[in-house]
Amino acid sequence: MLAGCGAGTDADPEVARGAALVRDLGCAACHASSSASGLGPGWGVLEWGEPRPLADGTTVEVDEDYLRRSITEPGVEVAAGWDPIMPMIPVSDAELDAITAYLRDVSGG
């Protein structure tokens, strides 16, 4: 079971759908819904509206656009301290909406 998967999912079907997608697409194999690290950073470290340092020395604001880019173009804006190993997994815009709703929920954004 995905840790933290129930956070807010009862009240928001989009969050529940996002939780199911990150489980079914295998995202949770590398990312934790907490701040714990795996092969990739835990989603609990995301601070909405705050700058996130990137591996190339720049920063980006943590928001839905950043998460969408990170999912659809995982090698472009790599978080500082991480290698660009995330595979590109094709998802629809509706799936991206659900996944980002879930990520925002588990990060407390």
Side-chain angles (χ1 to χ4, degrees):
M1 177 167 199
L2 183 62
C5 191
T9 58
D10 293 334
D12 187 340
E14 189 77 346
V15 172
R17 183 167 181 252
L21 284 165
V22 300
R23 181 193 61 235
D24 295 345
L25 294 171
C27 308
C30 297
H31 300 278
S33 60
S34 67
S35 60
S37 296
L39 291 176
W43 297 316
V45 300
L46 296 172
E47 296 181 25
W48 287 85
E50 296 297 319
R52 181 167 179 92
L54 300 178
D56 67 2
T58 64
T59 59
V60 64
E61 181 179 336
V62 175
D63 60 13
E64 289 181 21
D65 290 335
Y66 164 65
L67 291 177
R68 291 174 78 91
R69 287 189 308 272
S70 294
I71 294 165
T72 60
E73 301 175 79
V76 174
E77 294 177 325
V78 178
W82 297 93
D83 293 322
I85 62 170
M86 184 169 147
M88 193 176 309
I89 298 171
V91 292
S92 69
D93 285 339
E95 289 169 326
L96 278 172
D97 290 342
I99 292 168
T100 56
Y102 170 72
L103 296 178
R104 185 172 193 148
D105 186 69
V106 298
S107 70

